[in-house]
Amino acid sequence: MERTTRQKTAIQAAIESAQRPLSAQEILVQASLQVTQLGIATVYRNLKSLVLEEKVHVVTLPGENPRYESNTAANHHHHHFQCTTCQRVFDVHDCPGDLKRMAPQGFVVERHELTLYGRCADCNAVAGATGAVATAVHACASGHDPA
Amino acid sequence: MERTTRQKTAIQAAIESAQRPLSAQEILVQASLQVTQLGIATVYRNLKSLVLEEKVHVVTLPGENPRYESNTAANHHHHHFQCTTCQRVFDVHDCPGDLKRMAPQGFVVERHELTLYGRCADCNAVAGATGAVATAVHACASGHDPA
DNA sequence: ATACTTGCAAAACATTTGCAGTGAG
DNA sequence: CTCACTGCAAATGTTTTGCAAGTAT
């Protein structure tokens, strides 16, 4: 059965306190602050468990390594928006909903993933005001409050 | 400048004649039928070119290697459906469309990717009729004609 | 005590790159 | 004849696995 270890706790905490999806490496760095000597293999093993337990889910964007995001009650079904200018990833809490009828005859839709691409508010505002990009990057994919 | 080689031609042909997105390995196998001695590095190098030239585009599904799909005029904007039972990937030519308003204030949507998950027609039909799975797999993700 | 977990190092994969030889123009 | 392209092998980067030691329960 499942055991509670310092490393699992630290890994889970790292993911939950982040305001954005983290990569395995980022989780290692963050959780290492709590548990020195933490190994990357342990991070991967625990991520696998957490995903199975549905406490965490995976965010996969084309050409990038998987990111892991907390899956708490507060964090219900949502999608993602990646800015094509600054590459940051934002949560989009809206959802088109009625996708069941999109599938071909005889197909049953159980779940869907949607990713939007475009320019985020910051990059739009900045468009032209050269030099402000670096500033925008600091806010990296944190708690925006979409529609 | 660009040169026309037997290998590039074979790779492009393999992708265009496939009725579904192919992995680099599958492309290697297929194109090797035309050009013996073809190396995987050449496949990757050419895929990169073809994607840049926008003759091919990449289909990325969570937890799986990228697949490559022809990008001809006939092959317009579409999405994908992955069967959670047989893992096959199908094209879905329908599209929810009006996703622009999903983005938060100030965000501009330029593009979107949508993937549906569920059970394909074959797996639904089979559900219960044990043994038919192997048969279904043969039709692997080919020309279904969605809605 | 028992047996699940860990950390390390090696393995397994997918993809990229260096380089000398090949072939398209 | 040139120089882009190829094939091979080695390098890279990420994720997985084997195994002995550590530690929750």
Side-chain angles (χ1 to χ4, degrees):
Chain A
M1 74 196 62
E2 292 263 309
R3 284 181 189 182
T4 306
T5 64
R6 291 178 304 129
Q7 5 315 64
K8 184 168 208 164
T9 305
I11 289 167
Q12 207 164 341
I15 297 170
E16 272 161 22
S17 61
Q19 297 307 303
R20 63 194 180 86
L22 299 178
S23 69
Q25 283 299 332
E26 289 174 313
I27 292 167
L28 173 65
V29 169
Q30 199 55 40
S32 292
L33 298 179
Q34 309 301 314
V35 182
T36 22
Q37 278 272 63
L38 179 63
I40 188 67
T42 302
V43 172
Y44 280 111
R45 279 188 282 237
N46 278 295
L47 284 174
K48 192 174 279 185
S49 305
L50 289 167
V51 169
L52 276 185
E53 297 168 37
E54 296 189 293
K55 289 178 182 161
V56 157
H57 78 274
V58 188
V59 180
T60 312
L61 296 175
E64 312 203 15
N65 296 337
R67 293 168 163 87
Y68 301 83
E69 189 171 49
S70 167
N71 206 21
T72 57
N75 227 8
H76 34 359
H77 177 73
H78 68 271
H79 298 295
H80 295 97
F81 180 108
Q82 183 170 37
C83 178
T84 52
T85 300
C86 67
Q87 313 306 325
R88 289 184 293 169
V89 178
F90 302 85
D91 286 355
V92 174
H93 296 267
D94 199 358
C95 175
D98 62 333
L99 299 174
K100 299 185 178 154
R101 53 192 179 71
M102 272 187 60
Q105 262 305 330
F107 282 53
V108 178
V109 177
E110 297 168 339
R111 201 166 64 74
H112 65 268
E113 293 280 337
L114 174 62
T115 308
L116 305 178
Y117 297 89
R119 308 191 83 186
C120 69
D122 290 348
C123 288
N124 264 323
V126 163
T130 324
V133 177
T135 309
V137 171
H138 286 152
C140 201
S142 43
H144 277 260
D145 205 67
Chain B
M1 73 196 61
E2 294 263 308
R3 284 181 189 180
T4 305
T5 64
R6 289 179 305 132
Q7 346 347 45
K8 182 167 210 163
T9 305
I11 290 168
Q12 206 164 342
I15 298 170
E16 272 161 23
S17 61
Q19 296 307 303
R20 62 193 180 88
L22 299 179
S23 70
Q25 283 299 332
E26 289 174 313
I27 293 168
L28 174 64
V29 170
Q30 199 55 38
S32 290
L33 298 180
Q34 308 302 315
V35 181
T36 20
Q37 279 272 64
L38 178 62
I40 187 67
T42 300
V43 172
Y44 280 113
R45 278 189 283 236
N46 277 294
L47 284 174
K48 192 174 281 187
S49 306
L50 289 168
V51 169
L52 276 185
E53 297 169 37
E54 295 189 293
K55 287 178 184 163
V56 157
H57 78 275
V58 188
V59 179
T60 312
L61 296 175
E64 313 204 13
N65 296 336
R67 292 169 163 85
Y68 301 83
E69 190 170 49
S70 168
N71 206 20
T72 56
N75 228 5
H76 34 359
H77 177 72
H78 68 273
H79 298 295
H80 296 98
F81 180 107
Q82 183 170 38
C83 179
T84 52
T85 300
C86 67
Q87 315 305 326
R88 289 183 293 167
V89 177
F90 301 86
D91 286 354
V92 175
H93 295 268
D94 200 357
C95 175
D98 62 334
L99 299 173
K100 299 188 179 158
R101 52 191 179 70
M102 274 188 59
Q105 262 305 330
F107 283 53
V108 179
V109 178
E110 298 168 338
R111 202 166 64 76
H112 66 267
E113 292 282 336
L114 174 61
T115 308
L116 305 178
Y117 296 90
R119 308 191 83 186
C120 70
D122 290 347
C123 288
N124 263 324
V126 164
T130 323
V133 176
T135 308
V137 171
H138 285 152
C140 202
S142 43
H144 277 261
D145 206 66

